Amino acid sequence: MKTYAVKANEVRKEWYVVDAEGQTLGRLATQIARVLIGKHKPTFSKNIDTGDFVIVLNADKVVLTGKKVNDKEYIRHSRYPGGLKSVTFKEMLAKHPDRIIKAAVDGMLPKNKLRAIRMRKLKVYTGCQHPHEAQQPRPLPMD
């Protein structure tokens, strides 16, 4: 018997919605990354984007455990001398709560050419409303 290899035009994309209110950031990000990669499907393939779309609501209500609320920092560099910038979790939560979830999921995706394509399928919103009702998203089953 031959192994079935899925083709890119045979992949069926689904839409899932997740409420991040009260959920731990890391545990939520692993579930989202799993769906974006497509590992929840029997037709998973490493070299083809078989993942689904994920909508995250209430991104500003995600929680961290321990003292990470005060200690966690998001660091970036402008590539100029002295261009190191760091923002704490509290500051990021106040200004850009959607970037917190995007950074966590981005760090959990494989570092390859499909990473940017998979990240485009992640939609993060701070409120409980989203403009993707036409796609009829289903609730994401959390394991």
Side-chain angles (χ1 to χ4, degrees):
M1 183 173 172
K2 291 187 178 183
T3 302
Y4 175 72
V6 68
K7 294 166 188 61
N9 59 358
E10 295 174 352
V11 177
R12 198 164 164 264
K13 306 285 184 186
E14 299 284 332
W15 283 74
Y16 293 102
V17 64
V18 178
D19 189 9
E21 184 173 1
Q23 294 200 32
T24 308
L25 176 63
R27 295 177 188 271
L28 176 67
T30 55
Q31 293 293 323
I32 294 170
R34 188 174 146 267
V35 173
L36 289 175
I37 294 169
K39 284 198 169 184
H40 65 293
K41 294 183 176 183
T43 58
F44 168 70
S45 179
K46 289 183 180 182
N47 60 335
I48 296 174
D49 182 28
T50 58
D52 294 328
F53 289 83
V54 178
I55 303 164
V56 181
L57 303 176
N58 295 321
D60 52 343
K61 296 180 179 142
V62 72
V63 296
L64 292 178
T65 58
K67 296 192 292 183
K68 284 180 262 192
V69 174
N70 298 321
D71 296 345
K72 184 168 179 61
E73 288 186 337
Y74 293 92
I75 299 171
R76 65 185 192 277
H77 200 284
S78 66
R79 299 193 184 212
Y80 285 97
L84 186 68
K85 310 277 186 187
S86 66
V87 180
T88 64
F89 176 80
K90 277 188 174 180
E91 294 169 355
M92 185 75 86
L93 189 64
K95 292 182 182 178
H96 305 287
D98 58 325
R99 292 184 190 174
I100 292 172
I101 294 179
K102 286 182 181 178
V105 172
D106 189 53
M108 294 183 184
L109 290 176
K111 281 63 172 177
N112 58 24
K113 293 185 180 197
L114 294 174
R115 185 184 208 182
I117 296 167
R118 290 171 175 156
M119 280 303 293
R120 280 194 293 263
K121 295 188 300 182
L122 175 64
K123 315 294 182 188
V124 183
Y125 300 100
T126 54
C128 59
Q129 300 293 326
H130 63 85
H132 305 288
E133 289 297 329
Q135 283 74 29
Q136 300 170 347
R138 297 182 295 160
L140 181 68
M142 300 300 258
D143 293 337

